Amino acid sequence: MNITDKSPAVLVTGGSGGLGLVIARTFLAAGYRVVIAGRDATRLEAAKTSLGHDRYVATACCDVTEKQGAEHAIQTAVSQFSRLDVLVNCVGTSDRGLAENLTLERLDELIRQNVHTALLCSIAAIPQLEIREGVIVNIGSLAGKVGARYLGGYVTAKHALAGLTQQMRLELKPRGIHVGLVNPGPI
C-alpha cells in the first residue's frame, strides 16, 4: 500500500462494521484515503482503530437518512482530504418476513435506510465527484435482482435502489460521474 497526501479519497457510508468496514479496508489497502460514516461514535472509533493508518482514515458521525447527515459526511471527506473521488453507499437494513405481512411503516423504514441514504449522499457528493470524474457505488443485493423467500420488504427496497442507480447512471454519465450497483449474495 502506498498512500500519500495526494491519494484519492473514498467515503464509505455504513463503514463502522460489516460489509462497509470490509469495503473501507479494501480501499485503504488499494491506496485510498478513507472516510467511514456511521451513527455510533464508539463503533466508528473502534472501526477506525481496526483499520490503522490513522493519518489516512477519518470518521463522520452522522445519520445519512437525513439531508444534514449526508452533507456532513461529504463535508468531512472534503475537509479531511481536500477531495472526494468515490462514494460507496453501503448503509442498509435487512428484513425477514413475507410481503403479505409487511406494514407500510416497515416498508417506509426499509426504503429510508436502503434508498434515501444513497440518494441523499449522492446528491451531496455530486459537485465533488464531478470535479474528479468520480464514482458512486451503491451496494444492492442479489435479492434485489431475483427476489428471495421471506425477504419481502428488503427485496422491495433493494429493487428500488437498483432503479435509482440505473437512473443516476444515465443522468450523471454526461457529467463524468460513473454510477454502479454491486449486488452481493448472502453475507
Side-chain angles (χ1 to χ4, degrees), residues 85-138:
D85 301 87
V86 180
L87 168 64
V88 179
N89 289 307
C90 192
V91 170
T93 300
S94 188
D95 195 37
R96 299 291 181 267
L98 299 173
E100 69 182 84
N101 298 324
L102 185 62
T103 66
L104 291 179
E105 293 78 18
R106 180 61 179 153
L107 182 58
D108 286 345
E109 184 180 322
L110 291 165
I111 295 288
R112 187 168 186 74
Q113 289 287 323
N114 290 285
V115 182
H116 292 188
T117 56
L119 177 62
L120 290 171
C121 289
S122 296
I123 289 170
I126 287 170
Q128 290 299 317
L129 294 174
E130 197 168 18
I131 293 168
R132 304 279 178 204
E133 294 187 343
V135 176
I136 297 170
V137 179
N138 292 331

Side-chain angles (χ1 to χ4, degrees), residues 25-146:
R25 183 172 281 113
T26 301
F27 271 97
L28 191 61
Y32 282 73
R33 295 176 292 167
V34 175
V35 177
I36 52 175
R39 293 179 292 190
D40 184 310
T42 303
R43 284 187 67 194
L44 278 170
E45 284 307 312
K48 180 179 178 179
T49 299
S50 79
L51 291 170
H53 304 285
D54 211 38
R55 181 174 171 184
Y56 299 116
V57 177
T59 62
C61 188
C62 54
D63 181 353
V64 296
T65 65
E66 302 292 336
K67 180 181 178 189
Q68 306 90 305
E71 290 170 349
H72 174 72
I74 303 307
Q75 289 166 357
T76 299
V78 175
S79 68
Q80 290 291 312
F81 301 129
S82 301
R83 64 189 292 165
L84 180 64
D85 301 87
V86 180
L87 168 64
V88 179
N89 289 307
C90 192
V91 170
T93 300
S94 188
D95 195 37
R96 299 291 181 267
L98 299 173
E100 69 182 84
N101 298 324
L102 185 62
T103 66
L104 291 179
E105 293 78 18
R106 180 61 179 153
L107 182 58
D108 286 345
E109 184 180 322
L110 291 165
I111 295 288
R112 187 168 186 74
Q113 289 287 323
N114 290 285
V115 182
H116 292 188
T117 56
L119 177 62
L120 290 171
C121 289
S122 296
I123 289 170
I126 287 170
Q128 290 299 317
L129 294 174
E130 197 168 18
I131 293 168
R132 304 279 178 204
E133 294 187 343
V135 176
I136 297 170
V137 179
N138 292 331
I139 304 299
S141 171
L142 182 60
K145 293 181 69 74
V146 297

Side-chain angles (χ1 to χ4, degrees), residues 19 23 137-142 145 158 161 165 180-184:
L19 181 58
I23 291 169
V137 179
N138 292 331
I139 304 299
S141 171
L142 182 60
K145 293 181 69 74
K158 289 302 187 178
L161 180 61
T165 303
L181 179 69
V182 175
N183 293 300

